Amino acid sequence: MKRSQWLIVAMICLVATAACAQSYPNKPVRLIVPFGPGSGSDIVARRLGAYLQKTWRQQVVIDNRPGAQGVIGTNALKNAAADGYTLGISTNSTHAAVSYLVKNLTYDPINDFEHIAVIGAGGSVALVSRQSGFKTIPELAAYAKAHPNTVFFGHADTIAHVSGELFKARAGVPIQGVPYKTSASVITDLIGGHIQIAFFNYMTGAAQIASGRLMPIAITEPKRNSRWPDVPTMEEYFPGLELSFFIGLSAPAEIPADIATQIHRAIQDAQKDPGFRESLEAAGVTLIPQSPGEYRGFIVREAGRWREHVREAQLLPQ
């Protein structure tokens, strides 16, 4: 092919790409959630999906893919077409801590994705059943020491798992973690008395506290949360014990740059929207606006922080 012909083909491709970006989205968008219904990621995804659906005037389909601490759903995102029509929720579980907790990981948390935007961050809240008799962390710790191997904590994601293990290590209590596929299953067993305590991200925890079925006894943020001002921080009992989660939006690597920019702009607009913003802030999420391209570096920094959390919790890759 002659050089002039190559130039014509290149120009056609550029025009086609630009036209595609300008019309995006022109069909339904799938949003993969690597955790089950009712999880914090699911709550954020559904609120974001509702906002994007209204803004884009295209259906946003929530696709829950729970299992393996988010690896199953995240791997599905990695293998999806990089055309902007499959997006995914990315979290501290799936992209920051996963390398230190999962053997033979099937994806590269940084390089296999286009990290579009962080949405927000927050802490976890320790919940117990109102029928358990426990009202504080020291009470539960004292009971666990007096009754070895009879106290269990449930977890369905990384912040819940590591929060429980850090409590176990710092307090020196003989408690055991029980893994679950979904947060809903953890809640069922906590209410039923099969486990005695569980840590939940704020979105999931807030709903259970509001229902009256479960009671908060501590949070993992370094300062008390204005939503529950009477609930102590874990740091008040164990100096330096602080843990937080983040939730963002990612896409398969090599998504067209113009489309990634449009999606990032939509996230920024959502964070400014009173309805979207207030619904997440009411659940204890602190929104984190960022410029395009900043989310990748944010995840790298969080990965370093989570490496230290996992080390202190004495967890080994499984």
Side-chain angles (χ1 to χ4, degrees), residues 270-282 285 287:
Q271 291 173 320
K272 297 173 185 176
D273 178 77
F276 180 80
R277 183 183 69 248
E278 290 168 9
S279 70
L280 292 191
E281 288 178 343
V285 178
L287 300 184

Side-chain angles (χ1 to χ4, degrees), residues 186-242:
V186 179
I187 291 165
T188 298
D189 276 7
L190 187 58
I191 292 171
H194 303 295
I195 56 177
Q196 287 66 47
I197 185 172
F199 290 82
F200 296 93
N201 62 70
Y202 283 166
M203 293 83 71
T204 305
Q208 299 307 312
I209 295 168
S211 74
R213 297 181 296 180
L214 298 175
M215 180 174 69
I217 59 173
I219 63 172
T220 63
E221 279 189 302
K223 296 180 180 180
R224 293 198 182 195
N225 190 287
S226 59
R227 184 178 179 86
W228 310 297
D230 295 330
V231 178
T233 68
M234 291 294 285
E235 193 169 45
E236 291 176 41
Y237 302 119
F238 312 106
L241 201 169
E242 176 271 325

Side-chain angles (χ1 to χ4, degrees), residues 35 67-72 74-75 91-110 113 158 162 246 299 302-303 306-307 310 316-318:
F35 300 99
Q69 299 197 68
V71 170
I72 292 173
T74 305
N75 200 55
T91 73
N92 49 281
S93 292
T94 59
H95 285 79
V98 68
S99 297
Y100 316 114
L101 292 172
V102 177
K103 285 183 178 179
N104 303 317
L105 189 61
T106 52
Y107 60 85
D108 182 321
I110 303 301
F113 304 91
T158 300
V162 176
F246 69 85
I299 292 176
E302 286 293 301
W306 275 90
R307 180 179 60 242
V310 171
L316 299 174
Q318 300 294 320

Side-chain angles (χ1 to χ4, degrees), residues 2-295:
K2 294 181 180 178
R3 184 172 182 274
S4 59
Q5 291 175 311
W6 275 113
L7 289 172
I8 292 171
V9 170
M11 290 179 65
I12 291 173
C13 290
L14 286 171
V15 171
T17 300
C20 179
Q22 288 173 2
S23 62
Y24 175 86
N26 55 26
K27 62 180 182 180
V29 174
R30 179 170 61 130
L31 179 52
I32 294 176
V33 181
F35 300 99
S39 64
S41 296
D42 180 71
I43 292 169
V44 172
R46 292 183 185 277
R47 292 175 183 177
L48 177 62
Y51 173 83
L52 294 177
Q53 189 162 291
K54 181 179 179 181
T55 302
W56 287 343
R57 298 183 181 180
Q58 287 290 344
Q59 186 180 14
V60 177
V61 180
I62 305 300
D63 182 4
N64 292 95
R65 299 283 190 97
Q69 299 197 68
V71 170
I72 292 173
T74 305
N75 200 55
L77 176 64
K78 168 201 165 184
N79 293 326
D83 57 5
Y85 288 93
T86 300
L87 306 174
I89 294 295
S90 46
T91 73
N92 49 281
S93 292
T94 59
H95 285 79
V98 68
S99 297
Y100 316 114
L101 292 172
V102 177
K103 285 183 178 179
N104 303 317
L105 189 61
T106 52
Y107 60 85
D108 182 321
I110 303 301
N111 297 316
D112 282 342
F113 304 91
E114 177 66 32
H115 298 296
I116 293 173
V118 64
I119 298 169
S124 68
V125 56
L127 300 184
V128 297
S129 168
R130 288 193 177 275
Q131 283 69 49
S132 69
F134 302 122
K135 291 183 169 52
T136 68
I137 284 289
E139 286 180 3
L140 190 146
Y143 180 89
K145 289 178 180 178
H147 303 81
N149 302 314
T150 63
V151 175
F152 300 89
F153 70 92
H155 57 86
D157 58 28
T158 300
I159 193 167
H161 187 192
V162 176
S163 293
E165 294 292 348
L166 286 177
F167 167 47
K168 176 181 178 179
R170 289 292 191 94
V173 292
I175 63 175
Q176 301 299 320
V178 181
Y180 290 80
K181 188 173 183 179
T182 67
S183 296
S185 297
V186 179
I187 291 165
T188 298
D189 276 7
L190 187 58
I191 292 171
H194 303 295
I195 56 177
Q196 287 66 47
I197 185 172
F199 290 82
F200 296 93
N201 62 70
Y202 283 166
M203 293 83 71
T204 305
Q208 299 307 312
I209 295 168
S211 74
R213 297 181 296 180
L214 298 175
M215 180 174 69
I217 59 173
I219 63 172
T220 63
E221 279 189 302
K223 296 180 180 180
R224 293 198 182 195
N225 190 287
S226 59
R227 184 178 179 86
W228 310 297
D230 295 330
V231 178
T233 68
M234 291 294 285
E235 193 169 45
E236 291 176 41
Y237 302 119
F238 312 106
L241 201 169
E242 176 271 325
L243 207 64
S244 62
F245 69 84
F246 69 85
I247 292 181
L249 191 72
S250 297
E254 300 183 5
I255 181 177
D258 287 350
I259 290 179
T261 298
Q262 287 189 48
I263 299 169
H264 182 273
R265 189 178 303 120
I267 299 300
Q268 285 185 313
D269 291 342
Q271 291 173 320
K272 297 173 185 176
D273 178 77
F276 180 80
R277 183 183 69 248
E278 290 168 9
S279 70
L280 292 191
E281 288 178 343
V285 178
T286 299
L287 300 184
I288 305 176
Q290 289 182 335
S291 301
E294 287 189 310
Y295 187 29

